[in-house]
Amino acid sequence: VKAGKYWNKGLEHSKDLGCPYDEAKIYAEMGQHLQDIESLKKAHEIFKRIGARLDYTAIEELLEKST
């Protein structure tokens, strides 16, 4: 519960500051810890858009395992 508060605050700040990599990392952490597919998909989409291939691939593997 406490972590969720900080994740949401981090998402807010990363969006306000225009830091898509940080935003995607937060979504990835949320997705992994909460087993939230939607957060993983958001992370995957952002990593792909910004060309973070290693991160994109890691999230892609997690999504494949979850289906």
Side-chain angles (χ1 to χ4, degrees), residues 11-56:
L11 285 172
E12 183 181 318
H13 287 301
S14 64
K15 289 176 185 178
D16 289 347
L17 295 171
C19 301
Y21 183 80
D22 294 330
E23 179 183 353
K25 288 296 279 186
I26 294 168
Y27 277 124
E29 287 295 316
M30 289 171 61
Q32 289 175 312
H33 290 287
L34 302 175
Q35 298 179 341
D36 178 22
I37 299 300
E38 290 306 311
S39 291
L40 289 174
K41 286 179 180 178
K42 286 179 185 177
H44 184 261
E45 177 186 316
I46 296 168
F47 285 140
K48 185 175 183 179
R49 179 171 42 88
I50 64 174
R53 191 181 345 217
L54 290 175
D55 295 294
Y56 167 86

